[in-house]
Amino acid sequence: MISRATLTSWLQPASPEPAAPVATGTERRALWIEITIVLLVTFGTSGLSGLLSLTESLLTPGNLADQAVALNVARAENQIIDVARQLLGIVKLLSWAALGLYLLWRSGVRPRDVGLGRFRWRPDATHGVGLAALIGLPGLGFYLLARAIGANLTVVPSTIGDHWWRLPALILWAIANSGAEEVLVVAYLITRLRQLGWSENSSLLASALLRGTYHLYQGFGGGLGNVAMGLVFGRYWQKTGRLWPLVIAHATIDSVAFVGYAALRGHVGWIP
């Protein structure tokens, strides 16, 4: 049984030690400008696009579940051009993660300070797999429920043709998605909000809401499900200071979804 003290420590965590110095005056303005630019270049714009996509879907006649959205699509008719564009998209996401880490490093926050130090197989890998199961299994059930009640679009993980490079590309997309999201939306954003004097709960909520917003293109279910994921992932990071398990968990969830869909489509009735 979870003790009251343990539950309180998770719901109302103390700031990490040593606490990040709170910016003042010009530093605060500079941080807000930096955060705004980073989000406009990366997931902030994706969030606005998600809102527009959901609005468009709601204005389309019929049920949300009657509409479909593909996560990974072919990017050219020519196979060589297609794989090249797939790789460019993957590199772009990884460069977003690199941007966040670089900006933190320039301000004195090293990658190991945000949980990307030496990889520890036993805790990092096992916690990552555990988080993937904790989020992925209920997440699948929540998606099916949301789609059944018409609150979510039909999500098609991949429409890429059956090429030899499809599965490696899907796994690379999963890794790139996880790296970009966990570095920017968790480590970068929460660290910067701490430096602005935000509480742990306020910064966690902002991070989770951002994650949910840029998944709204999938429907209300996708948005709410990812807010829940953001709350769990963000709190884990705040309590442990380890980012590797989040990257592993997210990459595992996406890999299973992408590769599993490609393998099971046409063999399992409820998979579109």
Side-chain angles (χ1 to χ4, degrees):
M1 178 178 289
I2 299 175
S3 68
R4 182 175 180 179
T6 300
L7 181 61
T8 300
S9 73
W10 278 89
L11 295 178
Q12 298 177 331
S15 298
E17 296 292 343
V22 177
T24 59
T26 302
E27 292 177 340
R28 291 180 63 86
R29 289 192 293 272
L31 280 180
W32 276 120
I33 291 171
E34 179 191 288
I35 292 170
T36 301
I37 292 173
V38 169
L39 292 185
L40 286 176
V41 171
T42 60
F43 291 110
T45 301
S46 299
L48 295 175
S49 178
L51 284 168
L52 290 175
S53 295
L54 177 59
T55 301
E56 182 181 22
S57 296
L58 291 172
L59 293 174
T60 301
N63 198 299
L64 284 180
D66 296 330
Q67 304 173 47
V69 59
L71 303 185
N72 298 286
V73 299
R75 298 177 175 233
E77 293 185 4
N78 182 279
Q79 185 177 162
I80 296 177
I81 301 299
D82 190 2
V83 70
R85 285 180 173 166
Q86 300 288 340
L87 292 175
L88 281 176
I90 291 165
V91 169
K92 182 177 77 170
L93 283 176
L94 293 176
S95 70
W96 287 4
L99 173 63
L101 291 173
Y102 172 74
L103 291 171
L104 290 174
W105 173 74
R106 282 292 302 268
S107 64
V109 182
R110 300 161 296 180
R112 68 180 181 183
D113 295 330
V114 296
L116 286 178
R118 181 179 180 181
F119 183 78
R120 299 179 299 185
W121 275 103
R122 186 169 183 177
D124 290 338
T126 55
H127 286 196
V129 172
L131 284 169
L134 177 66
I135 296 297
L137 296 176
L140 176 59
F142 185 72
Y143 160 71
L144 294 174
L145 174 62
R147 181 170 174 263
I149 64 176
N152 213 79
L153 283 75
T154 297
V155 177
V156 180
S158 174
T159 58
I160 298 174
D162 189 14
H163 308 303
W164 66 266
W165 48 263
R166 179 179 61 175
L167 294 185
L170 290 175
I171 292 174
L172 288 175
W173 272 115
I175 295 171
N177 284 332
S178 66
E181 291 191 42
E182 304 315 322
V183 167
L184 283 176
V185 181
V186 176
Y188 169 81
L189 182 59
I190 294 179
T191 297
R192 287 299 192 233
L193 293 178
R194 281 173 174 169
Q195 293 172 333
L196 288 168
W198 286 41
S199 70
E200 293 296 283
N201 283 340
S202 296
S203 56
L204 172 66
L205 182 60
S207 171
L209 288 175
L210 173 60
R211 190 189 296 261
T213 301
Y214 61 76
H215 284 94
L216 281 175
Y217 68 92
Q218 299 176 12
F220 294 108
L224 290 175
N226 277 278
V227 168
M229 176 179 175
L231 292 173
V232 173
F233 276 25
R235 183 62 92 219
Y236 177 91
W237 181 77
Q238 288 176 326
K239 291 291 294 181
T240 67
R242 299 295 296 175
L243 196 67
W244 281 121
L246 301 188
V247 174
I248 292 172
H250 194 150
T252 300
I253 292 170
D254 283 3
S255 294
V256 170
F258 299 165
V259 175
Y261 177 85
L264 297 178
R265 186 183 182 187
H267 302 284
V268 179
W270 55 267
I271 294 181

